[in-house]
Amino acid sequence: MLKLKNLEAVYNDIILVLRGISLEVPKGSIVAFLGANGAGKSTTLKAISGLLEYEDGEITNGAIEFDGVEIHKKQPQDIVRLGITQVPEGRRVFAELTVEENLRVGSHTQQKNTNLRQEMERVLNYFPRLRERLKMQAGFLSGGEQQMLAIGRALMAKPKLMMLDEPSLGLAPMLVTEIFDIIKKINTEENVSILLVEQNALMALGTADYGYILENGKIVLDGPCNELITNEDVKEFYLGTGEGHDRRNFAEVKHYKRRKRWLS
Amino acid sequence: MDYQLFLQLTLTGLAWGSVYALVALSFVLIFKATDTFNFAQPEIMMLGAYIGFTLVSVFHLPFFLGFVLTMLIMAVLTALMEMMVVRPLVGEPMLSIVMITIGLAYVIQGFVGMTWGYEEFEYPSPFPTDPILFGEVVISQAELYTIICTAILLVVFFLFFKFSSSGITLRATAEDTTAAFLMGINVKRVFTGSWVIAGLIAAIAGTFLASFTFVDPKMNFLALKALPAIILGGMDSVHGAIIGGLLIGVMENLAGFYLEDYLGSGINEITAYVVVLLVMMIRPYGLFGSKEIERV
């Protein structure tokens, strides 16, 4: 469904952030996209959403394909219309608008004659907590509710692919579980493919079907999640459950010698 | 204190304040939507007044037709201004954009001077000139209609922003441009739209201002009083701009009369700025503004 082919991106004409990323999100699946701070995860999502040019960035090489159509030269609003929505990092709900208005903005790309009430009901069924707060200003919601609103707002656009940028950011563990359960539910019930960017690797690998690990703008490892979760390197660097009880020299770490990725 | 005189001064103040409020509203609208300040707004107001004057006085169109045509012309002009002057700079630092709007202000000023010359013209006011009496309070019809029309306009705008899809889209874009992009909002179109709406409001303000003064190439300075109004109300607050504008109009009128004997004539010219200074000492973000505000 979504295919990134050897994508390269720069900021300010010189800072190379993505050095050839290839990944694929098959229809109906959940794909996890892991990596440390500054690895380039959010940049990848911005590139897909067409936002790079507005942040002084640029795609210098490679291509992004969605359902066989090249989208990396399209404008953000056209990409949303094709069926890709993004739930941005830090939620970014419209704080001064009410919950209801936020959802209305989410349906901006829909035809004018769609039944707004009905659409809203569909979305609110996933987030019963928001229903009680429809008339409330979104800025007064708790962090978890704001995250739900951000997801709900993206869902209003009837996406085929939803990209979530760190939905667990700043949330209590119990809420994180709740949010991930909802994401899974949306994936199966609405048949929405999901690209999940996370730092909470355990949670993400537990939810997704397939995973990619990004470091310094390059994909260093990929595989089905059940394989990744048992991978020694992943265990040590992302899950913190490696067997290295004795301290290791920093120079020795991060080789990824077990498997090289020749694709790009 | 003679309360009838007081009432009279207040009413006149409200009429002037309405004009300030409209210009202030047009500033705030652009600031909120695009996060930049358009310093050419008073000049756009002046341009609107001149175009209306030309259509009605020179081409002898009926006032209402002339007014509608003025609005259409202003919509096209402001859209062009946004697309040609500001849009190439999107993503550049705010200061660059502010500088270019100041440049735009001078260009419009020069254009007005070149086209219409530098003398005053009488505006073909649509309002009857004989004043209305409320008891012993005398008010000119131009002022009265200014207050009424502004009130109606403000209600219309309130409803537009609160309930219409376009209004909600505009507010969303104003708050978070990136998130607006992700909702599939055509942000460029919203930016142009905010310039057009702001330009129309400014042109309406120009029509009112011209009908109780003159059309002259210095009327943009009168509209500059909108700046203290914005600062008073808070830069990012729509109702703050309106209340700020009305307050300044009323205060300068009252001060001009009651304080003139003690502080000398011309006190009304500086009242607005003195009030703003005082407010800034106590509430630097204005009466209604949000606390985190960017400096221009």
Side-chain angles (χ1 to χ4, degrees), chain A residues 193-204:
Chain A
S193 317
I194 283 170
L195 180 59
L196 186 62
V197 163
E198 260 300 339
Q199 294 207 33
N200 187 339
L202 188 62
M203 208 65 216

Side-chain angles (χ1 to χ4, degrees), chain A residues 38-101:
Chain A
K41 295 167 294 176
S42 295
T43 306
T44 310
L45 291 201
K46 278 176 196 158
I48 300 171
S49 281
L51 287 180
L52 273 190
E53 84 171 273
Y54 297 96
E55 307 204 349
D56 229 346
E58 197 191 343
I59 295 171
T60 46
N61 211 340
I64 305 172
E65 259 181 32
F66 183 68
D67 284 342
V69 187
E70 290 209 337
I71 59 166
H72 57 277
K73 290 199 177 73
K74 286 196 190 299
Q75 287 293 310
Q77 63 267 22
D78 301 326
I79 293 171
V80 176
R81 270 172 215 280
L82 282 175
I84 305 182
T85 57
Q86 188 191 138
V87 181
E89 188 176 2
R91 313 185 260 275
R92 303 189 86 148
V93 295
F94 300 111
E96 284 173 33
L97 273 56
T98 64
V99 171
E100 197 177 2
E101 287 167 346

Side-chain angles (χ1 to χ4, degrees), chain A residues 77 92 94-96 101 104, chain B residues 163 165 171-172 175-176 186:
Chain A
Q77 63 267 22
R92 303 189 86 148
F94 300 111
E96 284 173 33
E101 287 167 346
R104 239 178 112 175
Chain B
F163 297 110
S165 302
R171 272 158 66 212
E175 211 191 303
D176 190 333
N186 189 338

